[in-house]
């Protein structure tokens, strides 16, 4: 009966150890599953957070670009003729030429028209003199119009500079936005790394604890059986 | 005045009664934009509303609050953008009437910067006042009378007449350019201001959009912390519960084993048991007890 009692005692001890091992393994699996679930939650939040950052910054860049373009376009009417005005002025200043064009024609025409009356004989030599006078008079008034061209060119150049600065600022803002986007996304990824690391470590520890529980059971069971065998034999 | 709109939920929310039984699903958010009237107009402080529901767990409660918070954020930023646009438009409306380029166009035409045809047309159509026309006429007439009176119709008089003609034409063109100059300068100044308004508005809208993206991502990440803690706690409690149950069962098995041993060693059993049976039958009896526990 002592042997039977020993078997019963060993059996209940083995049963208790087995239950303990199974419970510890289940606990380890629960912990591992929890860690994986948490990691997936973190990953999904990070992925959606990245999408939010990208979307917001994309809309921001659209607004900045369109704003810079419309701001620059306000100055287009002044900037458009700057170079032409400057070239004409420069040409007149460097060559001493007449204003020409319709202004020159108008001035010459007005001077000839003033003498095209019954008062003067405008044929022959007189006609030549009239033409010569007309050209000279155009030459006399040209400096005034040259200054007008310079004024127009200066105003246009200022507008051109402003326009270029507006576009440049727009590009600068886009550059800042691109850099900030990269930085925000990187921070979002790296920021969750410690937490992911902890979850990973926790899952690994849980697996190890499960393995240890199994080994402990095996040792205990072998111990019980060897004791029993010793008593029996 | 409040206006109510409905938005379909991506993931419907389950509804439960007090006993924890599922009673249905909520499939839409109701968003009531409560407007607040000010001297500058209505400002919408969006109020995201949900129907009545009992969450089955704190996890569900936390999960439901995140999309609500995101919706609040989006609506708030949308209202901020609307008001920022109105602010910029108010400024533009005040300056637009002074930003016309008609004076600049005429100035460019007179100077020949818009092509020869435009220049000719502009000069031919120079507006000259009646007073100026009369003054010009009198000037010419005076010079002619002087020539006639002195009998001088020589080259000097000829040149004098031509000079008057050229001078009058030149003065007319220069006069017109001088009239246009203040208008052109005003338009230039106003358009520069308008450019600044456009830039400032774009920058402000860009900030709101960029900020919204960052805020939304922060909300999402921030809401994971309590959920993760809850998951971890649940896993830990579940494990501890299992171990406690196993310990309980082991104790029970030990107690039962003790009772069996007492029975095996009792006088009643001894008198019943045949000592001449194989010793292995005792071992077998013990293992039967063990198998009983294991089943």
């Amino acid at each position: 009966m002592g042997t039977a009692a020993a078997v019963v005692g060993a059996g209940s001890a083995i049963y208790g150890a087995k239950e303990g091992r199974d419970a510890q393994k289940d606990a380890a699996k629960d912990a591992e599953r929890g860690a994986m679930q948490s990691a997936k939650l973190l990953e999904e939040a990070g992925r959606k957070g990245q999408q939010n950052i990208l979307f917001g910054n994309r809309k921001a860049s659209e607004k900045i670009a369109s704003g810079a373009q419309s701001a620059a376009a306000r100055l287009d009417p002044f900037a458009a003729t700057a170079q032409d005005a400057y070239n004409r002025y420069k040409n007149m200043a460097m060559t001493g030429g007449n204003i020409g064009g319709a202004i020159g024609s108008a001035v010459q025409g007005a001077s000839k028209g003033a003498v095209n009356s019954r008062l003067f004989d405008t044929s022959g030599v007189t006609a030549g003199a009239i033409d010569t006078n007309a050209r000279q008079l155009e030459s006399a008034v040209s400096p005034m119009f040259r200054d007008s061209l310079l004024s127009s060119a200066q105003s246009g150049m200022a507008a051109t500079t402003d326009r270029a600065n507006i576009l440049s600022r727009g590009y600068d803002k886009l550059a800042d936005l691109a850099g900030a986007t990269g930085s925000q996304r990187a921070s979002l990824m790296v920021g969750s790394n410690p937490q992911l690391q902890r979850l990973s470590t926790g899952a690994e520890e849980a697996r190890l604890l499960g393995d240890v529980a199994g080994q402990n059971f095996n040792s205990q069971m072998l111990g019980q059986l060897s004791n029993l065998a010793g008593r029996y034999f | 005045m409040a206006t109510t709109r409905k938005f379909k939920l991506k993931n419907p929310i389950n509804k439960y009664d007090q006993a924890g039984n599922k009673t249905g699903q909520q499939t839409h958010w109701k968003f009531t934009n409560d407007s607040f009237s000010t001297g500058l107009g209505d400002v919408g402080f969006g109020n995201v509303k949900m129907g009545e529901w009992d969450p089955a767990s704190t996890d569900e409660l936390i999960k439901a609050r995140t999309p609500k918070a995101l919706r609040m954020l989006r609506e708030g930023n949308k209202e901020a953008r609307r008001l920022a646009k109105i602010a910029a438009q108010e400024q533009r409306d005040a300056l637009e009437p002074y930003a016309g380029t008609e004076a600049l166009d005429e100035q460019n035409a007179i100077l020949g910067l818009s092509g020869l045809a435009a220049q000719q047309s502009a000069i031919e159509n120079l507006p000259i006042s009646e007073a100026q026309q009369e003054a010009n006429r009198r000037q010419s007439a005076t010079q002619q009378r002087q020539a006639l009176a002195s009998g001088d119709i020589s080259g000097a008089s000829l040149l004098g007449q031509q000079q008057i003609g050229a001078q009058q034409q030149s003065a007319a063109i220069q006069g017109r350019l001088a009239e246009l100059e203040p208008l052109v300068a005003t338009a230039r100044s106003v358009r520069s201001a308008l450019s600044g308004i456009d830039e400032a508005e774009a920058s402000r809208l860009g900030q709101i959009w960029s900020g919204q993206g960052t805020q939304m991502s922060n909300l999402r990440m921030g809401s994971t912390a309590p959920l993760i803690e809850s998951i971890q706690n649940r896993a830990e409690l579940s494990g501890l519960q299992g171990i406690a149950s196993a310990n309980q069962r082991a104790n029970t098995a030990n107690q039962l084993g003790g009772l069996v041993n007492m029975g095996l060693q009792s006088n009643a059993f001894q008198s019943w048991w045949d000592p001449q049976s194989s010793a292995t039958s005792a071992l077998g009896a013990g293992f039967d007890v063990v198998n009983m526990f294991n089943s």
Side-chain angles (χ1 to χ4, degrees), chain A residues 70-104:
Chain A
S70 81
R74 299 266 189 199
L75 302 177
D76 279 348
F78 298 90
T81 55
Q83 193 162 9
D84 191 14
Y86 175 76
N87 287 340
R88 285 173 187 243
Y89 166 79
K90 185 177 165 187
N91 187 48
M92 283 179 69
M94 300 300 280
T95 62
N98 291 341
I99 184 68
I103 294 178

Side-chain angles (χ1 to χ4, degrees), chain B residues 68-101:
Chain B
K68 184 177 178 179
L70 290 171
R71 171 96 40 213
M72 287 176 183
L73 188 61
R74 274 196 289 269
E75 291 296 338
N77 279 329
K78 188 177 171 184
E79 186 67 0
R81 287 194 298 275
R82 183 183 78 88
L83 292 169
K85 284 177 187 172
I86 289 175
Q89 194 55 44
E90 286 285 331
Q91 289 179 302
R92 278 195 283 265
D93 288 347
L95 292 175
E96 290 279 8
Y98 309 103
T101 58

